[in-house]
Amino acid sequence: SKAKLFDEKTDTRTSFKDVAGLEGAKEEVEEIVEFLRNPDKYTSLGGKIPKGALLVGPPGTGKTLLAKAVAGEAKVPFFSLSGSDFVEMFVGVGASRVRDLFKQAKDKSPAIIFIDEIDAIGRARGKNNFTGSNDERENTLNQLLTEMDGFGTNTNVIVLAATNRADVLDKALMRAGRFDRQIYVDLPDIRERKEIFEVHLRPIKTLETLDLEFLARQTPGFSGADIANVCNEAALIAARNEKKAVDKQDFLDAVDRIVGGLEKKNKIIT
Ligand code: ATP
């Protein structure tokens, strides 16, 4: 198939304002934005700009969002691919996709490359490889390592990768000059959940009396993606009930529905 494996977008719409909470992670990536904006300033004294950083954390916590915000804030193109796209790929295809991706990013540098689910290609090599079916994954991983090593000090391409399984990654990926920085992106605490509600309620017509503190308290363990879902679901429930604005009960019903969905998901896993 001709499925596009990476998107290039000059995504100036996503900014740090869209990313709620995650203060520590934002502070760390802020530095990357600075590097991309003024590479010469940082290399003028002989320093080397980092080539990559790993965003580590549970699903739906905003890793992709944060990577897009880095590109948006720095006003540089955003090239992305997902590790899972490389599963079951024909021999040679994965490696050549990686080569193409890096070439395009270098041509348009400064730029961000984002690799989601890097564990799908970056699992430790030489394990569970009885059938040889992992060969292409290994080729792809090797190509990725080669590309990162091949960056000159003034390439100005920074590779961000996301995973929720940093423990299974090949140690070679974390070596100096590759993904040598790890940035933790955790589930939001109550204060952060309130901030995430604020972001996702922006486009939604709610009653003015809506208590965000209350909503944050009703959603322990929810990720940012879950909260985005709750807000959307609440708006749909209210509309279905012919309401003019979304109220507390719609949110409670939406929370119930999302909790129901999460429980089902967990049941399948365990
Ligand atoms: P995965 O590991 O499943 O790829 P992820 O960590 O990359 O997940 P995102 O894809 O960035 O998560 O998050 C999905 C959506 O959830 C975002 O597009 C956004 O709408 C919402 N979201 C997640 N975290 C936040 C946050 N901190 N602030 C605002 N919105 C968030």
Side-chain angles (χ1 to χ4, degrees):
S1 80
K2 285 221 171 124
K4 238 178 94 188
L5 279 186
F6 47 86
D7 282 326
E8 179 229 327
K9 281 188 229 109
T10 307
D11 192 341
T12 47
R13 287 164 309 161
T14 307
S15 77
F16 285 146
K17 282 204 200 77
D18 301 305
V19 187
L22 303 180
E23 294 310 325
K26 271 199 264 185
E27 224 165 84
E28 292 197 53
V29 296
E30 202 125 11
E31 208 182 0
I32 295 176
V33 172
E34 272 292 300
F35 291 145
L36 289 166
R37 278 187 182 155
N38 303 303
D40 298 341
K41 170 175 163 188
Y42 289 93
T43 53
S44 65
L45 303 179
K48 287 185 192 131
I49 289 174
K51 292 176 183 176
L54 200 58
L55 305 173
V56 184
T61 46
K63 298 181 291 297
T64 308
L65 186 67
L66 194 61
K68 279 190 180 159
V70 169
E73 294 279 345
K75 299 197 166 54
V76 304
F78 181 80
F79 295 86
S80 72
L81 55 78
S82 176
S84 58
D85 296 333
F86 289 90
V87 177
E88 307 279 318
M89 200 166 260
F90 290 114
V91 176
V93 176
S96 83
R97 289 290 160 100
V98 167
R99 205 177 304 123
D100 285 354
L101 176 69
F102 276 75
K103 185 179 178 318
Q104 292 204 32
K106 276 187 255 181
D107 287 348
K108 298 242 165 93
S109 78
I112 285 283
I113 291 178
F114 177 65
I115 305 175
D116 201 5
E117 300 179 64
I118 192 170
D119 39 288
I121 44 177
R123 250 164 223 279
R125 286 165 292 187
K127 277 189 195 144
N128 304 323
N129 196 10
F130 308 115
T131 60
S133 63
N134 281 332
D135 278 2
E136 186 45 23
R137 192 187 59 74
E138 267 186 36
N139 288 341
T140 307
L141 173 57
N142 288 332
Q143 189 62 40
L144 177 62
L145 298 174
T146 304
E147 293 292 344
M148 289 189 80
D149 293 345
F151 276 9
T153 43
N154 49 9
T155 308
N156 301 332
V157 174
I158 294 183
V159 190
L160 298 176
T163 184
N164 34 53
R165 295 294 314 272
D167 56 312
V168 302
L169 291 181
D170 198 300
K171 293 286 170 285
L173 277 167
M174 265 84 101
R175 217 164 280 153
R178 293 170 182 165
F179 297 99
D180 49 9
R181 297 183 171 205
Q182 293 200 16
I183 299 172
Y184 290 92
V185 178
D186 259 326
L187 282 173
D189 63 17
I190 185 164
R191 190 184 50 78
E192 292 173 308
R193 291 198 299 277
K194 190 177 160 203
E195 289 174 23
I196 297 172
F197 269 110
E198 273 163 22
V199 166
H200 289 282
L201 287 176
R202 274 183 211 148
I204 291 179
K205 260 197 187 165
T206 60
L207 288 184
E208 273 158 34
T209 51
L210 196 67
D211 179 356
L212 300 189
E213 189 81 39
F214 171 81
L215 293 179
R217 234 180 298 125
Q218 298 304 309
T219 47
F222 278 43
S223 68
D226 297 332
I227 291 173
N229 248 334
V230 166
C231 294
N232 191 59
E233 195 64 42
L236 297 180
I237 290 171
R240 197 173 303 133
N241 293 313
E242 323 287 344
K243 290 185 189 170
K244 293 268 179 291
V246 192
D247 64 28
K248 181 173 164 181
Q249 191 55 49
D250 302 318
F251 280 95
L252 288 175
D253 291 348
V255 168
D256 276 349
R257 188 172 279 195
I258 306 295
V259 168
L262 292 175
E263 276 168 2
K264 243 186 242 154
K265 245 198 315 195
N266 290 340
K267 234 175 239 152
I268 294 166
I269 291 164
T270 52

